[in-house]
Amino acid sequence: MAWDLSCPDWWQRLQQVRSLVPDLPLWTAEGERAVRIFNKLRLADVPGTPTMEEAGGEWFRDIVRAMFGCTDPVTRQRMIRELFGLVPKKNSKTTDGALMMVTALLLNERPRAGFVMTAPVQDVAQLAFDAAAGAIDLDPVLAKKFHVRHHLKTILHRETKAELEIMTFDPTVLTGQKISGGALIDELHVCAKQAKAPKALRQIRGGMLPFPESFLAFITTQSDEPPVGVFADELQKARDIRDGKREGAMLPVLFEFPKEIQESKDRQWKNPKLWPLVTPNLGKSITLDRLEADYREAKDTSEAELRVWASQHLNLQIGLALSAAGWAGAEFWERRAELVLSVEELIAQCEVVTAGIDGGGLDDLLGLVLVGRERGTRRWLAWAHAWAHEIVLERRKELEPKLRDLEKVGDLTIVELPGRDVEDVADIVCQVAAAGLLPEKHAIGVDPAGIGAIVDELTSPERGIAIEQVVAVSQGWKLNGAIKTTERALAGGDLVHGGQPLMAWAVGNAKVVPVGNAVTINKQVSGSAKIDPLMALFNAVSLMALNPEGQGCMDDWLSNPVRAGRA
């Protein structure tokens, strides 16, 4: 029978300085044996080379006890197959993880078992290897048991021939690994940005199935950007198991604040009195004085640097990847996610709608944004969608995890053939036109470059959009007015939206370049990250700022369920 690994009282446990490992029917002897082995290992890079019993945190001993006390001594079947540890920086997670893998190598009974520990960059992998090799060198008994191959970063158990390999994360190499013992992946949030990371994890999990005692562990900090790819998936899975929303064999140990604290408008997380709750190694590898000093430095640098600091040291989940050169409106974007919005809901709530379109190259996104003026309040409501050709996934492999995530939530459509995206855009614009909400002139703002196919489709006899309704919106510094208008509307609460991940990503990607007394946001400065939906927003705002009027056949549209999308 599967174990219940949920921990619904996790916030109370953090406040009471209790273990985040739930109460489990562990095989006590096995678990305590693992802890004794772990406690004897020494820290080679700390003055005096203390043992883990002296220098280690109780939080990690709880993990070791659970991970090795969950195996049936007779069948060798694991009840906890995976671990997801979300731990802030400077809490000794890499060293602790490396020494846990040494413990696993010592407890292993399978001949020639394979163990792997990976890290996203060579420096972190070297740190892990040095911790493991250093602990072995400091213990005469372990030095005889193991053969440490420094040039290969491998550790061989001389009796069982089991081997631990410590390497940088390479999906190609990991796909072919025989991991019959266990694997630990450090800093999954960085590894997840590689396009083939999902395939590597599938291969690892699939390869472990024949081995009942094998395990997969993730020990990571929060991402300094909005979570993407397999990191976002595994983090959500861990949270759902912790909260009792789903079953699973993954042990979730997440040192983070509740959502209401993370997203509080008064930023409760800035209170240093709360920091010890998510800093399990406080007083050992990190001190509160050091955290406060780093916080002040980040705060004095920029808003972007403060958010990155909070993501790394408090596991705060970032909604926007802000940067020092970021667009000023980005600071207000998250605060204006005030409603759930679809095309149909926007049409039903608004008296007039303008459309903005941008992009559309084969290795680009095609962005569409609708901005509607709400009846009564006259607030502007924004909805967005984007399309990408499959070629983008090949040419921009670093973006594939994010684009796949956006596809999952419904903000992005990936098309196989050119033309499908243009037809979809025209369908949506014509849906607005059928409701009588498009102005007679200056209704659809487009980037003048490369939008011939879109204009042709919109103004075709079948679509019926008049050429006078399509406007080529000047880009570059001439877009400064629309950029500033959008900033002011966001800051004052006059522009609100549905909190779509697509727009949060595009807004966070934007980089500002001063041009005389104006500013510009362009794709060259923003790099490979996409901003097309944001540029489409500026195009739509530039037309809504003209205070247009709709054509007034809304009642007919609402009475027709097919047109209104309610059929």
Side-chain angles (χ1 to χ4, degrees):
M1 182 177 178
W3 284 359
D4 179 4
L5 299 180
S6 66
C7 189
D9 62 339
W10 62 273
W11 179 230
Q12 288 76 19
R13 286 173 176 254
L14 282 176
Q15 292 173 292
Q16 297 166 5
V17 198
R18 294 168 55 204
S19 174
L20 289 182
V21 176
D23 300 329
L24 299 170
L26 300 173
W27 282 272
T28 305
E30 297 290 322
E32 293 304 328
R33 182 187 176 206
V35 171
R36 287 195 299 272
I37 292 172
F38 180 79
N39 277 343
K40 288 182 179 179
L41 300 176
R42 291 185 173 273
L43 295 173
D45 60 347
V46 175
T49 63
T51 64
M52 290 305 295
E53 185 173 17
E54 299 166 323
E58 189 61 33
W59 69 278
F60 204 83
R61 273 188 283 272
D62 291 336
I63 290 175
V64 171
R65 186 177 291 109
M67 291 302 292
F68 297 102
C70 69
T71 302
D72 188 316
V74 178
T75 66
R76 306 310 300 166
Q77 180 69 43
R78 276 186 164 274
M79 304 306 291
I80 300 174
R81 297 281 290 180
E82 298 186 3
L83 163 72
F84 193 98
L86 186 69
V87 190
K89 276 189 173 181
K90 306 305 178 184
N91 279 276
S92 191
K93 64 176 180 55
T94 298
T95 296
D96 289 358
L99 298 186
M100 185 178 79
M101 296 305 286
V102 173
T103 301
L105 202 57
L106 285 165
L107 290 171
N108 167 69
E109 297 178 356
R110 180 179 293 276
R112 300 185 182 278
F115 294 83
V116 168
M117 179 174 180
T118 76
V121 295
Q122 184 176 356
D123 288 349
V124 179
Q126 186 66 51
L127 176 64
F129 177 77
D130 290 344
I136 292 169
D137 290 342
L138 288 169
D139 190 310
V141 175
L142 296 185
K144 292 180 180 179
K145 282 185 177 289
F146 292 120
H147 178 202
V148 180
R149 301 168 179 165
H150 288 269
H151 63 296
L152 296 175
K153 291 188 178 61
T154 61
I155 299 172
L156 177 70
H157 194 293
R158 296 181 189 273
E159 297 168 8
T160 64
K161 305 303 179 184
E163 187 175 70
L164 168 63
E165 183 175 3
I166 298 176
M167 65 176 77
T168 53
F169 186 84
D170 185 338
T172 304
V173 174
L174 286 171
T175 298
Q177 284 283 332
K178 176 189 175 184
I179 306 176
S180 54
L184 189 151
I185 299 177
D186 193 5
E187 297 293 29
L188 179 64
H189 73 93
V190 180
C191 301
K193 295 177 183 179
Q194 297 191 34
K196 293 184 179 180
K199 181 179 179 181
L201 287 189
R202 284 195 299 271
Q203 291 288 334
I204 290 173
R205 284 180 165 130
M208 288 181 173
L209 285 177
F211 308 104
E213 76 276 20
S214 64
F215 65 88
L216 173 61
F218 305 106
I219 302 181
T220 181
T221 58
Q222 181 56 265
S223 175
D224 58 2
E225 298 177 346
V228 299
V230 292
F231 173 68
D233 294 340
E234 300 298 332
L235 175 58
Q236 190 58 52
K237 181 199 298 184
R239 285 172 172 164
D240 287 346
I241 292 174
R242 177 196 65 187
D243 297 340
K245 296 180 180 178
R246 65 182 289 180
E247 296 179 351
M250 173 186 281
L251 176 65
V253 181
L254 312 177
F255 289 92
E256 62 178 356
F257 294 124
K259 187 176 181 181
E260 55 267 24
I261 290 181
Q262 294 200 40
E263 298 181 355
S264 57
K265 293 186 177 181
D266 59 350
R267 296 189 170 187
Q268 297 176 34
W269 54 266
K270 294 172 70 174
N271 184 354
K273 292 182 179 179
L274 293 177
W275 300 351
L277 304 184
V278 294
T279 312
N281 235 46
L282 194 68
K284 296 183 181 295
S285 58
I286 186 67
T287 66
L288 191 58
D289 288 344
R290 184 178 172 187
L291 278 176
E292 290 179 339
D294 286 351
Y295 164 77
R296 288 191 295 269
E297 183 176 347
K299 181 182 178 183
D300 293 342
T301 301
S302 67
E303 171 69 14
E305 192 64 26
L306 176 59
R307 289 195 176 209
V308 170
W309 179 89
S311 73
Q312 299 302 284
H313 292 283
L314 302 179
N315 275 343
L316 206 71
Q317 182 165 317
I318 290 182
L320 298 178
L322 296 179
S323 68
W327 173 49
E331 296 185 22
F332 303 96
W333 187 263
E334 288 178 310
R335 307 179 205 177
R336 301 302 172 231
E338 299 181 10
L339 67 168
V340 176
L341 200 63
S342 65
V343 174
E344 291 73 29
E345 288 165 332
L346 182 140
I347 290 174
Q349 295 177 41
C350 294
E351 60 190 13
V352 64
V353 174
T354 59
I357 303 172
D358 187 88
L362 287 182
D363 67 343
D364 220 346
L365 300 186
L366 173 59
L368 168 66
V369 172
L370 302 179
V371 173
R373 191 170 66 223
E374 191 176 32
R375 289 190 186 83
T377 68
R378 295 184 67 83
R379 294 187 306 173
W380 296 352
L381 313 184
W383 172 90
H385 196 82
W387 291 259
H389 293 284
E390 286 187 338
I391 195 170
V392 175
L393 306 180
E394 293 298 320
R395 295 185 180 179
R396 299 284 186 266
K397 290 186 180 296
E398 73 279 8
L399 295 181
E400 182 176 355
K402 183 62 183 180
L403 297 180
R404 291 297 187 188
D405 286 349
L406 294 174
E407 182 185 31
K408 284 181 187 177
V409 299
D411 285 358
L412 177 75
T413 300
I414 296 177
V415 299
E416 296 181 6
L417 299 174
R420 159 77 190 283
D421 50 351
V422 172
E423 292 175 2
D424 286 353
V425 168
D427 287 343
I428 294 171
V429 172
C430 288
Q431 188 177 352
V432 178
L437 300 187
L438 280 184
E440 292 184 359
K441 294 183 178 181
H442 303 156
I444 306 163
V446 298
D447 179 348
I451 46 79
I454 296 172
V455 174
D456 290 345
E457 179 69 24
L458 288 172
T459 58
S460 66
E462 295 80 11
R463 298 293 187 179
I465 300 294
I467 191 65
E468 293 81 9
Q469 292 178 288
V470 183
V471 181
V473 178
S474 299
Q475 304 294 298
W477 66 267
K478 294 182 179 180
L479 199 59
N480 180 69
I483 294 173
K484 294 298 184 183
T485 298
T486 308
E487 290 174 8
R488 289 193 296 271
L490 285 167
D494 297 317
L495 171 60
V496 298
H497 56 87
Q500 292 176 268
L502 170 70
M503 287 303 298
W505 179 56
V507 166
N509 289 338
K511 304 293 186 295
V512 171
V513 180
V515 181
N517 293 326
V519 297
T520 183
I521 297 174
N522 60 58
K523 298 174 185 178
Q524 289 73 27
V525 175
S526 298
S528 60
K530 301 302 181 182
I531 62 170
D532 307 272
L534 178 61
M535 303 306 289
L537 173 65
F538 294 147
N539 292 342
V541 164
S542 67
L543 301 185
M544 183 56 72
L546 300 176
N547 197 28
E549 297 294 333
Q551 298 183 52
C553 55
M554 184 61 168
D555 291 339
D556 292 341
W557 183 85
L558 287 172
S559 65
N560 186 327
V562 175
R563 282 184 173 180
R566 303 190 303 272

